[in-house]
Amino acid sequence: MSTSQYDQVAFDFAGRELVGRVVDYLAAADVSGPDGLLVVDVDGQTYRVEESNAERLDR
């Protein structure tokens, strides 16, 4: 997996839908599941969101 699959994603954070640009991908480091973490830049703030909780937006 890499960030090339993603450009912008939408995700829920504390009841708000945020949209940002994926800047990094962190592979899953344990056996809890296949999800990696997307590192998303939203207006200069970075958020980590599980891949399954992010919706890829069409360009």
Side-chain angles (χ1 to χ4, degrees):
M1 185 64 57
S2 71
T3 60
S4 65
Q5 287 184 214
Y6 299 96
D7 184 23
Q8 285 198 327
V9 296
F11 61 98
D12 180 73
F13 182 79
R16 293 177 35 209
E17 184 172 292
L18 299 178
V19 175
R21 182 176 57 90
V22 176
V23 295
D24 200 4
Y25 175 82
L26 305 172
D30 60 28
V31 295
S32 65
D35 271 353
L37 292 175
L38 299 174
V39 179
V40 183
D41 180 291
V42 178
D43 297 329
Q45 299 291 318
T46 56
Y47 297 83
R48 291 181 180 181
V49 60
E50 288 181 339
E51 203 171 357
S52 64
N53 293 330
E55 177 184 346
R56 186 173 69 189
L57 301 177
D58 291 332
R59 294 177 191 184

